[in-house]
Amino acid sequence: MCKSIDVAVAMLNKSIDYAFEYNEPKYYMDYVKLHKLLYLGQCYILSRYGLRLFEEDITAHNCGPYVDGIGTIPANYGFGVIKEKIQGDNSKGIIYLPLTFSRDETVNEILKEFGMCTTDEVVRITKETIPFKGKEGMFDNHPSISKEQLIEAGKDLFVQK
């Protein structure tokens, strides 16, 4: 099973590639936007293919969905906009593996649809999903968002378009 750090690195590196390729700095992301795009990716692949993008949990926080397992990114790159690609040489202690085809395509789809959104826009989009709204009033306890709830959000966001 894929780890969230694997997907996070792929998403960050692709966003940097897209920013350069399309000369569009909106593709760059910060740590908060990364969490939200990973959440959207998990919703997408579960609702489309019944596969998990990564195995770690997603919990609901006041600021939106939070993905476990990617804490080494701000430890090495900070919380601001990340413009430096993460290398596979483990120079900063981040170990990751390449994605399978379906996971790689999911990252591409999420970046295509939401990659140029601002952090605030992506936060708003994720906080408006049905499962997240269902956690209102419980954010202090950081409740988990279940697989079934992620599928529901994915169907609402992607399948019914």
Side-chain angles (χ1 to χ4, degrees), residues 89-153:
D89 61 5
N90 193 25
S91 63
K92 292 197 176 190
I94 297 176
I95 300 169
Y96 64 94
L97 297 172
L99 301 183
T100 61
F101 179 80
S102 59
R103 290 181 175 95
D104 190 58
E105 286 302 308
T106 295
V107 168
N108 291 336
E109 287 298 315
I110 295 304
L111 286 175
K112 184 174 105 180
E113 187 156 346
F114 301 103
M116 289 202 317
C117 293
T118 66
T119 298
D120 289 340
E121 289 169 335
V122 176
V123 167
R124 181 187 50 76
I125 290 165
T126 58
K127 288 176 86 172
E128 289 177 358
T129 60
I130 295 166
F132 192 81
K133 284 183 171 184
K135 304 292 183 187
E136 287 179 18
M138 298 184 279
F139 297 139
D140 289 343
N141 297 325
H142 307 142
S144 288
I145 300 173
S146 72
K147 177 182 174 183
E148 293 74 23
Q149 292 169 323
L150 293 166
I151 291 169
E152 181 181 3

Side-chain angles (χ1 to χ4, degrees), residues 29-78:
M29 66 180 77
D30 59 23
Y31 186 62
V32 172
K33 183 176 175 179
L34 176 61
H35 276 280
K36 306 333 171 213
L37 294 181
L38 289 170
Y39 167 79
L40 292 170
Q42 188 79 290
C43 294
Y44 175 88
I45 199 168
L46 276 167
S47 65
R48 289 274 170 115
Y49 307 110
L51 300 171
R52 292 185 68 90
L53 188 57
F54 48 85
E55 64 184 40
E56 288 82 3
D57 285 338
I58 300 175
T59 53
H61 293 238
N62 237 0
C63 63
Y66 178 88
V67 177
D68 289 341
I70 63 171
T72 54
I73 290 174
N76 289 288
Y77 294 88

Side-chain angles (χ1 to χ4, degrees), residues 69-86:
I70 63 171
T72 54
I73 290 174
N76 289 288
Y77 294 88
F79 291 95
V81 175
I82 301 169
K83 295 183 178 181
E84 177 186 347
K85 287 179 79 166
I86 298 174

